[in-house]
């Protein structure tokens, strides 16, 4: 079955959705230990969350890049995730979706969240034809993410390294069995209409 170009795929339950981030150990380790982001975590900066485990592996180099050596699975409420999607703006101007570039810039400036659709990745981290959601949170959304939406934070760095080791060894089926089960995330028809061309 052909994947639609834009669809959210995520590990999710009836009430939560899991997103991934990668940080330096001084942020990631206490976050996972305490189940909340430490004081050193910057609330005044945009933070990007990714429902795709493999896209996070691509971005962090399997948790080996400087500043990204601790990979976190952050379980957040679906209510919060959808709040952000409803109020998000695409991170780039899209003809036909926005009246004009100036209107898009005004919307982007006001939006507490922004969305990018980047190529999903396979186990070799090669791009696939369909897209994966990245959600950037700023301002009110960052505060809500840290203080209201976060249900749990788990350090999945060891999982990242184990999957990567299987891929390096050519044991793709063993690697695939360890991946989080990311299913299409159920959204009503209007939730993503302003985020897809």
């Amino acid at each position: 079955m052909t994947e639609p170009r834009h669809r959210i795929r995520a590990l999710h339950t009836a009430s939560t959705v899991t997103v991934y981030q990668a940080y330096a150990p001084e942020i990631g380790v206490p976050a996972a230990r305490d189940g909340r982001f430490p004081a050193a975590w910057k609330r005044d900066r945009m933070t990007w969350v990714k429902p795709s485990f493999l896209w996070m592996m691509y971005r962090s180099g399997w948790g080996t890049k400087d500043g990204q050596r601790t990979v976190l699975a952050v379980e957040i409420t679906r209510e919060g995730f959808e709040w952000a999607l409803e109020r998000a703006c695409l991170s780039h101007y899209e003809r036909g979706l926005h009246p004009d570039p100036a209107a898009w810039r005004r919307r982007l400036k006001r939006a507490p969240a922004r969305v990018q659709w980047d190529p999903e990745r396979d186990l070799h981290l090669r791009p696939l034809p369909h897209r994966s959601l990245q959600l950037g949170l700023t301002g009110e959304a960052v505060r809500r993410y840290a203080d209201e939406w976060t249900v749990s934070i788990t350090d999945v760095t060891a999982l990242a390294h184990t999957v990567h080791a299987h891929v390096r060894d050519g044991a793709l089926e063993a690697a695939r069995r360890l991946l989080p089960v990311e299913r299409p995330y159920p959204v009503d028809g209007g939730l993503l209409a302003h985020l897809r061309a």
Side-chain angles (χ1 to χ4, degrees):
M1 188 165 60
T2 305
E3 278 281 354
R5 183 169 168 81
H6 300 97
R7 178 157 72 182
I8 300 170
R9 297 161 207 82
L11 175 63
H12 58 86
T13 70
S15 59
T16 65
V17 57
T18 297
V19 296
Y20 299 94
Q21 296 192 285
Y23 289 104
E26 52 266 29
I27 299 289
V29 170
R33 181 191 64 223
D34 301 334
R36 63 180 184 276
F37 291 102
W41 188 74
K42 302 285 192 247
R43 291 166 178 261
D44 56 349
R45 291 172 53 182
M46 177 164 288
T47 190
W48 287 89
V49 301
K50 301 142 184 83
S52 166
F53 180 80
L54 284 176
W55 208 95
M56 187 72 258
M57 296 306 97
Y58 165 72
R59 180 71 180 83
S60 68
W62 297 99
T64 63
K65 290 184 181 177
D66 282 345
Q68 300 184 62
R69 295 185 189 276
T70 304
V71 182
L72 301 178
V74 185
E75 193 178 18
I76 63 173
T77 64
R78 282 173 60 159
E79 182 183 3
F81 184 61
E82 292 175 15
W83 182 96
L85 290 174
E86 286 169 6
R87 291 159 179 79
C89 179
L90 268 185
S91 61
H92 66 278
Y93 168 72
E94 189 72 52
R95 181 189 294 274
L97 196 60
H98 307 111
D100 55 61
W104 163 73
R105 279 192 294 274
R106 284 192 301 275
R107 180 175 171 86
L108 185 67
K109 192 171 184 178
R110 291 192 315 267
R114 60 188 58 178
V115 160
Q116 287 181 195
W117 295 98
D118 293 307
E120 181 57 285
R121 301 285 159 165
D122 67 10
L123 276 167
H124 295 287
L125 307 185
R126 297 174 301 211
L128 294 169
H130 53 277
R131 300 276 166 155
S132 180
L133 177 92
Q134 282 197 75
L135 183 61
L137 307 173
T138 189
E140 181 183 2
V142 171
R143 181 189 61 74
R144 287 175 177 254
Y145 173 65
D147 298 336
E148 299 173 18
W149 303 343
T150 298
V151 174
S152 70
I153 302 176
T154 305
D155 186 338
V156 292
T157 311
L159 172 64
H161 293 168
T162 302
V163 174
H164 187 207
H166 284 317
V167 172
R168 277 197 320 260
D169 294 344
L172 297 187
E173 202 46 53
R176 200 168 282 114
R177 281 196 299 269
L178 294 176
L179 293 176
V181 179
E182 294 171 1
R183 298 172 290 122
Y185 184 83
V187 292
D188 66 44
L191 187 62
L192 298 179
H194 62 298
L195 299 170
R196 293 191 288 214

